[in-house]
Amino acid sequence: MHLARFPRVRLGHFPTPLEAMPNLTKLLGGPKVYIKRDDCTGLSSGGNKTRKLEFLMADALQKGCDTVITQGAIQSNHARQTAAAAAKLGMKCRILLENRTGSTSPDYCGSGNVLLDHIHGAPTQTFPAGTPMNAEMEKVAEEIRSHGGKPYIIVGGGSNPIGALGYVNCALELVAQANDMSLRIDHVVHATGSAGTQAGLVVGLEGLRSHIPVLGIGTRAPRPLQEENIYKLACATADLMDMPGAVARERVVANTDYVGAGYGVPTDGMVEAVNILARTEGILLDPVYSGKGMAGLIDLIRKGHFKTSENVVFLHTGGSVGLFGYNNIFDATRPN
Ligand SMILES: *Cc1c(COP(=O)(O)O)cnc(C)c1O
């Protein structure tokens, strides 16, 4: 596993901190809970897409492209970090947003990540839920080519083998940090969506023979599909790194019990998790991913899923900017 073989541009602040959460640990009375702060990657308020973009944007530059095109949900953290990366590298950026939740709230449609897309100089186009977004990206690419530009399409969430290298890198970073701190990691838990984060982590942790299991908490797809997506991408990423077969199917585990009514749709558990982290550790989660991921972790701890002697690392994947797209939900739980 030698990542220097792949082109990479530096976009983030690494290593991100690995910290204890003593107040949350005490509140829940279960295992010791730690947090890996990938919400602190530094690029446009941070998040997990920064690591993927270091490899994706390097690939785009190496191919001589001048415009990146990507897509996501309206409150896409991936789109926002892509817009910021393009700005930093002097490239143009076109963003296609799918209204997966069907929300018409002005906050959801114009604040949070959407506001930042525009501040970073990226135009956005919005499409109704169910639009074939890859075909729409192709249309935009064709239009750019017809004007003499060189487009580079980044798949949703940056989740292809090149993007997943960013999370192979995170696995190396995490294990090195834990070794330095003499911290034995028994579990890594994080929110999973387009699968690149978990795929890269599993390839890295398995490649190191760390024996650290990863549990993805689903935010969209049902379990069989989510695990299949992660496993396929992990295999393709291992192939790219010339280590075919590095990941056994049973090392890919997702729990999709915390999705609720659908992608991006708030759940009571998410709201509780966001409030708990904000009020015990002073840490902001997000409504779509890390809030549901933490809701899953909290519930599993309450159900006794982990031993109290174990150490669990929650990978914070970022996204707190999205809170501003959901402020009516949180207003309803404000203290008085
Ligand atoms: C994209 C995203 C995820 C999910 O990561 P995937 O690699 O798409 O599975 C989790 N948390 C946040 C905040 C994200 O923006």
Side-chain angles (χ1 to χ4, degrees), residues 49 69-83 93-102 108 113-114 117 123-134 136-137 153-159 194 220 263-264 288-289 326:
K49 305 312 178 305
I69 305 168
T70 200
Q71 62 100 1
I74 294 215
Q75 283 296 331
S76 169
N77 304 299
H78 164 67
R80 181 241 314 154
Q81 286 163 89
T82 303
C93 179
R94 293 276 296 270
I95 291 174
L96 283 64
L97 299 176
E98 179 189 2
N99 193 352
R100 290 187 204 156
T101 66
Y108 185 80
N113 283 292
V114 185
D117 294 341
T124 55
Q125 277 170 274
T126 304
F127 300 83
T131 303
M133 298 300 282
N134 290 335
E136 293 298 332
M137 288 201 292
I153 291 178
I154 299 180
V155 293
S159 285
S194 65
R220 189 176 188 183
Y263 175 86
V288 180
Y289 296 98
Y326 286 78

Side-chain angles (χ1 to χ4, degrees), residues 260-283:
Y263 175 86
V265 179
T267 62
D268 292 346
M270 177 279 287
V271 174
E272 186 199 20
V274 168
N275 285 337
I276 286 178
L277 262 281
R279 294 167 194 186
T280 59
E281 297 290 347
I283 292 173

Side-chain angles (χ1 to χ4, degrees), residues 46-49 52 75-78 80-81 113 156-159 167 190-199 217 219 226 230 233 263 285-286 288-291 315-320:
N48 64 339
K49 305 312 178 305
K52 301 176 181 185
Q75 283 296 331
S76 169
N77 304 299
H78 164 67
R80 181 241 314 154
Q81 286 163 89
N113 283 292
S159 285
Y167 271 86
H190 69 92
T192 177
S194 65
T197 300
Q198 191 166 353
I217 306 289
T219 54
Q226 187 65 25
I230 298 162
L233 184 51
Y263 175 86
L285 298 173
D286 86 280
V288 180
Y289 296 98
S290 56
L315 171 68
H316 189 341
T317 43
S320 63

Side-chain angles (χ1 to χ4, degrees), residues 194-215:
S194 65
T197 300
Q198 191 166 353
L201 272 181
V202 171
V203 170
L205 292 174
E206 292 300 288
L208 286 171
R209 305 245 197 284
S210 69
H211 307 293
I212 299 174
V214 179
L215 174 63

